Amino acid sequence: MDRIASALNNEPNTVTGIAMHIVADENIPLLDEFFGEFGRLTRLPGRLIDQTALGDADVLLVRSVTRVSAAMLAGTPVRFVGTCTIGTDHLDLPGLAAAGIEVASAPGCNARGVVEYVLSCLLTFAEQSATPWQDRTVGIIGVGEVGGRLAAVLQALGVKTLLCDPPLAEQGREGLIELDELIAHSDVISCHVPLTREGPHPTWHLLDGRRLERLRPGTWLINSSRGPVIDNQALSAVLGQRPDLLVALDVWETEPLVDPALAARCRLATPHIAGYSLDGKLRGTAQIYQALCRFLDRPASLALEQLAPRSGAGQWQLEPGTPPDWALTRALRLVYDVRDDDARLRAMLNRVQDEQESREGFDRLRKEYPLRRECNLLRVVTAASEPQLARRLLAAGFDLGG
């Protein structure tokens, strides 16, 4: 901390002779805008950040692909690690705490993007099965930042939801059920849990072969949390026997390597981009900037509202008499269509020649991800005589312009 403080006071860094050095994942947006004032920035691919790269670094900023442990930081001056993501399973939290290293994450930053990913999966499965998605019972596993927001949106749209979250149940949260009960009564299952291997409620292979075999006929299964939450080998075997199941996987047990056989059996397959809206990534950067300012005991002089771009925002005007369900579907598709990401991943898998090319292709899809904004950036103009339409659009998160 003394070294970081001296750098910010423009005193020479005793090791490098320069101001604070920040090493960051190259896929974090607005790095210069938020962190340029602190000193020198070094951008690296997330999977290539290692101990060697941190030899004179004071701060490390990562996303979910970089695993950070106390051993990795041993012998480096790093005293602050910020992950611009909602999850922290890639961080050795106990080890970093024992080493006296401050850790910050960005809870909830990409929750809205994941909600819109799930909604797009529901729209697609409804089209593929000729079944109205709003008539199905959606079981949500994990009711934290993402699962809780998904439940709120679905309930506002009139969709029946079942909720499972053992840690919250132990804290006295009402309205929660056991996982096996949720599986028995859900037409759709969406996973939103962190990845844990130990403790009273581990989530590694939470959906194992036994539970997958007990899915109701015609179940829609969506995983946008962490790959190993579902036993991928067991899932592939079950799908080989159960063509009635519709599965969307955004996360993979062996990523960045995707099992092409499993991908072929999934109705939707995407490269870990459920929360990859620009807005979610921008919020993550802003939250870590604020956390670093608190760590350094200095005021935050920048706000996301000052820096966020408007590109991708727009307006859509609906004429009186527009059917509410049609308008909701079209509006959601305008903002995000999961079928585009599914097509890009499948094209990559069909093109590569070996596992190394597949890994590189997976990371390239994430690095070169196209512009994607969230529902609130699309203003939908409706007639004052259409209150039902307005209620549905507001429930889904669209801006109706007051």
Side-chain angles (χ1 to χ4, degrees):
M1 182 66 179
D2 291 339
R3 174 190 158 137
I4 294 178
S6 68
L8 287 174
N9 290 327
N10 294 318
E11 298 175 15
N13 182 308
T14 57
V15 176
T16 65
I18 60 174
M20 179 187 294
H21 181 199
I22 298 175
V23 173
D25 186 311
E26 64 183 3
N27 289 333
I28 298 173
L30 295 183
L31 276 171
D32 282 316
E33 291 82 351
F34 273 116
F35 298 99
E37 65 180 275
F38 295 110
R40 178 163 63 102
L41 283 168
T42 297
R43 295 172 176 79
L44 292 170
R47 297 190 200 278
L48 297 186
I49 296 176
D50 57 15
Q51 190 175 47
T52 302
L54 303 174
D56 66 345
D58 303 292
V59 171
L60 173 60
L61 306 179
V62 300
R63 291 187 60 82
S64 60
V65 300
T66 306
R67 304 197 67 81
V68 184
S69 66
M72 174 186 179
L73 302 185
T76 76
V78 173
R79 287 296 172 267
F80 179 93
V81 174
T83 181
C84 300
T85 61
I86 191 171
T88 58
D89 55 272
H90 54 296
L91 308 180
D92 173 18
L93 296 178
L96 294 171
I101 297 170
E102 182 81 4
V103 175
S105 62
C109 67
N110 69 345
R112 179 65 211 186
V114 178
V115 168
E116 292 173 11
Y117 175 91
V118 173
L119 290 174
S120 190
C121 289
L122 295 177
L123 293 178
T124 302
F125 286 166
E127 293 170 358
Q128 292 177 350
S129 63
T131 304
W133 64 273
Q134 289 159 303
D135 292 345
R136 296 176 75 84
T137 298
V138 179
I140 299 173
I141 307 174
V143 197
E145 292 280 357
V146 179
R149 191 169 302 191
L150 174 63
V153 171
L154 291 175
Q155 290 163 4
L157 290 170
V159 178
K160 181 180 179 181
T161 61
L162 300 176
L163 310 178
C164 173
D165 195 314
L168 287 182
E170 289 183 349
Q171 298 172 21
R173 170 80 174 265
E174 297 182 353
L176 304 174
I177 63 175
E178 297 290 334
L179 178 56
D180 290 328
E181 183 181 357
L182 180 144
I183 291 172
H185 295 94
S186 296
D187 304 308
V188 180
I189 296 175
S190 192
C191 301
H192 302 284
V193 296
L195 179 61
T196 57
R197 292 175 177 265
E198 301 175 349
H201 305 292
T203 60
W204 184 83
H205 285 189
L206 184 66
L207 295 183
D208 55 12
R210 178 182 65 86
R211 283 181 167 138
L212 291 169
E213 290 171 355
R214 295 171 56 193
L215 294 175
R216 290 163 56 92
T219 293
W220 302 351
L221 175 62
I222 304 167
N223 187 17
S224 57
S225 56
R226 289 292 184 264
V229 168
I230 298 178
D231 182 338
N232 280 200
Q233 286 190 340
L235 177 60
S236 188
V238 169
L239 289 178
Q241 302 296 320
R242 295 279 307 274
D244 61 294
L245 302 176
L246 276 61
V247 175
L249 291 187
D250 181 57
V251 287
W252 308 83
E253 194 161 1
T254 56
E255 67 181 61
L257 185 64
V258 173
D259 177 357
L262 176 56
R265 287 174 171 167
C266 291
R267 291 297 186 96
L268 292 169
T270 54
H272 200 156
I273 48 70
Y276 245 46
S277 68
L278 175 59
D279 304 279
K281 289 187 280 188
L282 293 176
R283 282 191 291 269
T285 305
Q287 287 176 237
I288 296 306
Y289 163 75
Q290 293 160 3
L292 180 57
C293 288
R294 290 192 296 270
F295 174 67
L296 299 172
D297 194 24
R298 60 181 289 173
S301 60
L302 299 171
L304 182 56
E305 293 73 21
Q306 301 170 257
L307 304 173
R310 292 291 299 173
S311 56
Q315 180 170 298
W316 186 37
Q317 183 156 352
L318 297 175
E319 295 299 324
T322 300
D325 286 345
W326 181 91
L328 177 62
T329 298
R330 297 282 76 74
L332 289 170
R333 288 289 198 214
L334 278 174
V335 172
Y336 174 65
D337 192 337
V338 67
R339 296 173 297 186
D340 295 336
D341 286 320
D342 172 78
R344 280 187 281 267
L345 178 61
R346 293 187 193 279
M348 183 275 288
L349 293 174
N350 289 334
R351 184 174 59 247
V352 298
Q353 300 297 315
D354 54 40
E355 291 185 353
Q356 182 58 31
E357 283 190 10
S358 182
R359 292 186 180 93
E360 292 171 355
F362 186 93
D363 284 343
R364 191 178 308 112
L365 288 172
R366 289 161 56 81
K367 180 180 179 179
E368 299 173 358
Y369 195 69
L371 176 65
R372 172 180 160 197
R373 304 309 297 263
E374 295 176 358
C375 284
N376 68 301
L377 269 294
L378 177 63
R379 181 182 181 186
V380 183
V381 180
T382 65
S385 59
E386 303 285 350
Q388 182 185 4
L389 172 58
R391 283 195 298 270
R392 295 184 72 73
L393 291 168
L394 281 172
F398 290 97
D399 174 21
L400 300 191

